[in-house]
Amino acid sequence: MAKKLTLVTGGAGLIGSQIIEDLNHNGNTDILVVDHLGTTDKWKNLQRNFFTEYCEKDQFERFLDAGHPLLSEISEIYHLGACSATTEKDATYLIQNNFHYTKKLAEFALTKNIPFLYASSAATYGEGEFGYDDKAPIETLKPLNMYGYSKHLFDLYAKKTKIADKLIGLKYFNVFGYGEAHKGDMRSLVLKGYEQIRDTGKLKLFKSYKPEYKDGEQKRDFLYVKDASKISVYLLSERKYGLYNVGRGMAETWNDLAFALFNAMDAPINIEYVEMPESLKGKYQYYTCADMEKLTKAGYPFGFTNLQDSIKEYVRLLSLEAK
């Protein structure tokens, strides 16, 4: 029997659920979803998609250990499952969940000759003192938090063991969009800001503590989840192996984002700049911007949604959900 199942770990998450939606649009419903739903509302992301089977993460790991028959049907793997909380303090949990689990799944994929895509992160770049170039050596990178380091560890492992050119690793930048409501404090500022403006008419942004950046002028490479998904599906379907940045290659300010949000909500601009928590000050990125040359050379044909249009569409979806 030919393999036909697409495995999507983290399939109830922000990027994973969008990938499944796009696979569905392409006619693929033969999908095995793996996630950890817990007590969150993440299950709502499953409702909008079609798939063959769902497994909890721990159950699927037991399947891997036992060589479950279901594994023989897997034809490709999108491994988005991870703890994505940049504030997570439990380093042991992050190592197990983001590093060892990825190793185990990658080794399974390589043994069975199954195309494998995994989520790395822009957090691996740290402060960006060495730039944001996915073609540069990764050994010198210094992530600012344990989440970034747990992602960096697998990138390093893949390179050291010479399997990096047999996998697709994606350094996602600041991804936002519909399907992130379950993420608590890790929700994007677009969603947090939408709720703040809806409830108070005001949006709070962190003050800057570097003289070269005015308040709200800290910059990020913001990426709409629909673009993150398109890039992911393209690279895996075209078997474009390697480690890629997944951003837009454009740094925009938090003020830019705020203005786009007020505009989309047809509300007067009202921004309050607030103190940053002490726990964040030493781990805060003031600037991120993906070098996108590698993705361009890989032939990615679809372009990107600009910040204003993506926020406008996201706000429309949130407004429809609220009705």
Side-chain angles (χ1 to χ4, degrees):
M1 182 172 136
K3 296 177 180 179
K4 64 174 185 176
L5 270 185
T6 297
L7 169 62
V8 183
T9 74
L14 171 61
I15 301 174
S17 60
Q18 184 62 54
I19 284 175
I20 295 173
E21 185 174 310
D22 287 352
L23 292 173
N24 286 173
H25 287 160
N26 293 339
N28 181 1
T29 58
D30 293 321
I31 298 167
L32 167 60
V33 180
V34 173
D35 211 310
H36 174 63
L37 296 179
T39 57
T40 71
D41 281 342
K42 213 192 296 190
W43 61 270
K44 291 180 179 178
N45 283 337
L46 295 177
Q47 279 189 313
R48 67 188 225 236
N49 292 325
F50 298 94
F51 49 90
T52 301
E53 181 62 272
Y54 173 84
C55 288
E56 278 287 310
K57 183 196 87 168
D58 291 346
Q59 179 189 19
F60 184 73
E61 190 167 18
R62 290 193 292 272
F63 284 0
L64 280 174
D65 293 338
H68 192 279
L70 188 63
L71 302 177
S72 66
E73 296 182 37
I74 295 173
S75 60
E76 58 183 5
I77 298 173
Y78 292 89
H79 178 43
L80 288 305
C83 172
S84 60
T86 57
T87 53
E88 175 59 56
K89 297 283 196 297
D90 189 340
T92 301
Y93 169 67
L94 285 166
I95 288 287
Q96 177 58 39
N97 197 60
N98 292 1
F99 177 49
H100 288 295
Y101 196 101
T102 305
K103 271 176 64 177
K104 181 181 286 190
L105 196 51
E107 286 162 4
F108 160 75
L110 289 169
T111 301
K112 302 296 184 183
N113 198 29
I114 300 169
F116 181 83
L117 177 149
Y118 73 94
S120 181
S121 171
T124 59
Y125 287 115
E127 272 194 303
E129 62 269 46
F130 301 108
Y132 297 92
D133 186 353
D134 50 9
K135 303 178 295 300
I138 61 174
E139 290 81 3
T140 55
L141 299 180
K142 304 288 184 193
L144 292 174
N145 52 50
M146 186 56 211
Y147 160 73
Y149 182 59
S150 70
K151 291 292 193 176
H152 186 49
L153 275 176
F154 184 78
D155 293 342
L156 289 170
Y157 168 80
K159 184 171 182 179
K160 183 179 179 182
T161 56
K162 296 182 170 40
I163 62 172
D165 60 352
K166 301 173 184 175
L167 312 172
I168 299 164
L170 302 186
K171 294 196 177 199
Y172 293 107
F173 277 65
N174 288 72
V175 180
F176 68 93
Y178 189 76
E180 60 171 318
H182 64 278
K183 294 179 70 171
D185 277 348
M186 291 299 107
R187 291 170 301 156
S188 73
L189 185 67
V190 183
L191 180 53
K192 289 180 180 178
Y194 170 83
E195 293 168 350
Q196 286 179 33
I197 296 166
R198 179 195 64 196
D199 297 341
T200 70
K202 181 167 61 177
L203 174 61
K204 294 180 179 181
L205 296 177
F206 286 140
K207 291 180 179 178
S208 170
Y209 300 89
K210 289 188 175 183
E212 61 267 39
Y213 293 92
K214 293 179 181 177
D215 291 342
E217 295 297 305
Q218 307 97 317
K219 291 186 171 183
R220 290 286 187 280
D221 192 333
F222 299 110
L223 181 69
Y224 196 30
V225 68
K226 291 189 176 182
D227 293 334
S229 176
K230 278 182 186 175
I231 293 167
S232 306
V233 172
Y234 171 80
L235 290 173
L236 188 57
S237 62
E238 297 295 323
R239 309 295 191 248
K240 301 285 188 177
Y241 298 108
L243 186 59
Y244 293 86
N245 284 336
V246 180
R248 283 193 301 136
M250 181 180 295
E252 295 177 273
T253 69
W254 292 113
N255 286 333
D256 291 331
L257 184 150
F259 297 155
L261 192 49
F262 280 108
N263 182 58
M265 296 179 71
D266 197 22
I269 294 169
N270 184 3
I271 301 172
E272 179 186 355
Y273 299 102
V274 299
E275 299 292 337
M276 188 184 297
E278 288 295 328
S279 60
L280 282 182
K281 283 183 181 178
K283 302 173 183 177
Y284 185 81
Q285 291 175 307
Y286 276 74
Y287 176 91
T288 66
C289 186
D291 181 321
M292 298 302 293
E293 181 185 8
K294 193 171 181 180
L295 182 69
T296 301
K297 286 187 172 178
Y300 179 67
F302 300 117
F304 305 95
T305 315
N306 68 46
L307 188 62
Q308 293 74 22
D309 289 344
S310 55
I311 287 177
K312 190 177 293 184
E313 180 175 272
Y314 188 11
V315 166
R316 182 178 61 80
L317 291 171
L318 291 170
S319 301
L320 286 172
E321 182 183 56
K323 287 180 180 178

